[in-house]
């Protein structure tokens, strides 16, 4: 609302200051947001007590998860970009209104189309998921404005309301009204509706027609993003659907039990990207090169850190969340490798949005999807989950490299290739070593403890070096 966060230069500039602090807040929010699925999944599996019911619920939730995360690559970035233009706050709010109304309309129409195609006999949980995904558009629109204003606390609060609270609401609904996927999705949908209303109060949008040219710009940016968003959704979430078609019954559900290691990776990096986006969009020329070098260095180490932590915890998490099915542990350990390609994609695609070159998205991402489908077809048809996870990691690396090839000249000299390649190599070697470790629970606990101790030691060494450097500079 305008009386809460006035549209002046100070709010716009707030997003580009304290980038490190904002990154930590966004990351903390993403970690708490990710806890939603960790909290719910073990209880949901126990309550449903059916592979078919779990697969229905998992696919319904996945539609929302991936749709929300990947839709942020479209119009929300356009909103943030418009905010930093001279007098662009009114345009940003108009585009926000377009996204909120358009998302809701598309969600409702998709649900009705699904019902008509299935002659109203398909799982109603899918219909609720489609409507909920449409409601989430207003949340994304509000978060884009909050991100531009430099209000990470409210951004994170809104994120938690629309994710963790929604998951808990779905679980409570099953406890109260019966263990069915449609009951879970009904409780989830109610909380998403409340979050959508809250988003309108926190960052009030305006009518799409309130600013001349806003609607035209939204369509110009949004249309190329549609095939891109669909392709990116399938890159992230297509494997379970491919397995459901090609593999034996139940294999897709097994893959879904550890799919959180890809979704969690994308969520965490997307949270950090909320700090990187305004930092890159607010500069041009040589300042952009310097900012990109700093951002890519940070992003490379962030990707490596996520791989290290997630892969180390795979053993323990699988024993807790997937009924201790040890054959899924190597699959979960490989999945986080997608982070290394995804960080490159995030920063390269941000430059395309900043320079109004979004038409590349409609070409590059679908092309990579075709390659990914061909790569995953054989392992999926044989039910080889390890091969499917490996093909997914390779596909994300190809995605990042493809966008780097398209956008590298827009910040020439600012990509920190040495650091990025070293982090990629380190991540691959690290996961390779973990794959040699036994998959029993004791080995998993030792791995987590070892990585935790080394991480704390590294943090202490970094803090000591930083303090020593500060003392030397003062002297």
């Amino acid at each position: 609302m305008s009386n809460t966060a006035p549209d002046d230069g100070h709010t716009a500039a707030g997003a580009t200051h304290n980038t490190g602090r904002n990154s930590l807040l966004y990351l903390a929010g993403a970690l708490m947001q990710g806890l939603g699925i960790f909290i719910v999944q073990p209880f949901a599996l126990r309550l449903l007590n059916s592979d078919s019911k779990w697969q229905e619920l998992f696919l319904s939730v996945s539609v929302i998860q991936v749709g929300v995360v990947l839709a942020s690559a479209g119009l929300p970035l356009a909103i943030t970009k418009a905010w930093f233009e001279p007098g662009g706050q009114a345009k940003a709010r108009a585009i926000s209104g377009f996204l909120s109304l358009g998302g809701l309309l598309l969600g409702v129409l998709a649900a009705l189309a699904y019902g008509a195609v299935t002659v109203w006999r398909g799982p109603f949980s899918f219909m609720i998921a489609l409507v909920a995904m449409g409601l989430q558009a207003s949340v994304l629109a509000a978060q884009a404005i909050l991100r531009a204003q430099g209000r990470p606390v409210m951004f994170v609060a809104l994120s938690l309301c629309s994710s963790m609270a929604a998951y808990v609401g779905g679980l409570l609904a099953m406890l109260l009204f019966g263990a069915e996927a449609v009951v879970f999705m009904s409780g989830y949908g109610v909380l998403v509706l409340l979050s959508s209303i809250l988003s309108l109060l926190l960052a009030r949008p305006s009518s799409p027609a309130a600013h001349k040219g806003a609607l035209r710009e939204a369509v110009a940016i949004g249309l190329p993003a549609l095939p891109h968003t669909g392709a990116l959704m399938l890159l992230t979430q297509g494997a379970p659907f491919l397995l459901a078609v090609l593999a034996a019954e139940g294999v897709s559900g097994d893959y879904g039990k550890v799919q959180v290691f890809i979704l969690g990776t994308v969520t965490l990096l997307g949270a950090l990207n909320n700090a990187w986006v305004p930092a890159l969009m607010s500069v041009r020329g040589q300042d952009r090169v310097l900012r990109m070098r700093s951002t890519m260095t940070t992003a490379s180490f962030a990707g490596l850190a996520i791989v290290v932590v997630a892969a180390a915890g795979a053993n323990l998490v699988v024993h807790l969340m997937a009924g201790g099915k040890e054959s899924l542990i190597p699959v979960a350990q490989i999945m986080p490798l997608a982070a290394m390609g995804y960080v490159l994609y995030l920063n390269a695609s941000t430059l395309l949005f900043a320079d109004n070159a979004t038409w590349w998205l409609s070409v590059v991402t679908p092309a990579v999807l075709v390659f990914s489908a061909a790569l995953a077809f054989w392992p999926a048809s044989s039910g080889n989950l390890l091969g499917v996870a490996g093909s997914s990691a390779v596909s994300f690396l190809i995605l990042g490299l493809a966008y780097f090839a398209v956008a590298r000249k827009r910040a020439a000299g600012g990509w920190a290739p040495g650091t990025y390649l070293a982090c990629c190599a380190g991540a691959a070697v690290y996961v390779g070593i973990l794959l040699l470790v036994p998959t029993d629970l004791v080995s998993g606990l030792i791995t987590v403890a070892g990585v935790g101790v080394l991480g704390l030691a590294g943090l202490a060494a970094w803090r000591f070096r930083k303090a020593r450097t500060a003392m030397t500079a003062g002297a």
Side-chain angles (χ1 to χ4, degrees), residues 43-63:
F43 296 102
L45 283 169
R46 184 178 296 275
L47 286 173
L48 292 172
N49 196 27
S50 166
D51 287 341
S52 61
K53 289 182 179 180
W54 161 247
Q55 184 163 308
E56 177 187 338
L57 175 58
F58 162 70
L59 292 177
S60 298
V61 172
S62 297
V63 168

Side-chain angles (χ1 to χ4, degrees), residues 199-375:
S199 70
L200 299 179
L201 298 175
L202 287 175
R204 187 176 59 204
S206 63
S207 168
H211 187 279
K212 184 179 181 180
L215 183 59
R216 182 174 62 253
E217 181 172 332
V219 172
I221 293 175
L223 284 180
L226 285 177
H228 155 77
T229 300
L232 197 55
M233 181 183 296
L234 291 174
L235 274 173
T236 305
Q237 189 60 31
F241 296 98
L242 192 64
L243 287 165
V245 174
L246 298 177
E249 185 177 356
V251 173
S252 177
D254 283 341
Y255 193 86
K257 292 174 183 177
V258 293
Q259 180 75 0
V260 67
F261 283 90
I262 287 184
L263 296 175
T265 296
V266 171
T267 300
L268 290 175
L269 291 173
L272 290 173
N273 195 47
N274 288 310
W276 303 335
V277 163
L280 289 174
M281 283 190 171
S282 59
V283 291
R284 292 290 188 274
Q286 186 60 28
D287 288 339
R288 172 188 279 185
V289 175
L290 297 175
R291 188 69 59 80
M292 175 58 81
R293 185 179 298 123
S294 173
T295 300
M296 270 306 299
T297 300
T298 302
S300 299
F301 283 113
L304 176 59
I306 287 174
V307 172
V308 169
V309 174
N315 184 318
L316 183 60
V317 171
V318 168
H319 277 94
L320 292 176
M321 293 181 58
K325 196 167 186 177
E326 294 186 2
S327 62
L328 296 177
I329 292 174
V331 179
Q333 290 171 333
I334 287 178
M335 284 179 172
L337 285 174
M340 303 316 300
Y342 198 68
V343 294
L344 189 56
Y345 149 76
L346 286 173
N347 287 290
S349 61
T350 296
L351 296 186
L352 298 179
F353 273 93
D355 293 344
N356 290 326
T358 54
W359 65 270
W360 276 109
L361 278 68
S362 63
V363 176
V364 176
T365 312
V368 175
L369 174 64
V370 173
F371 170 83
S372 174
L375 191 64

Side-chain angles (χ1 to χ4, degrees), residues 1-3 5-12 83 88-90 93 145 149:
M1 296 175 64
S2 58
N3 57 348
D7 293 345
D8 55 24
H10 298 292
T11 57
W83 190 270
Q89 290 88 354
R93 293 189 184 278
I145 292 178
Q149 292 175 332

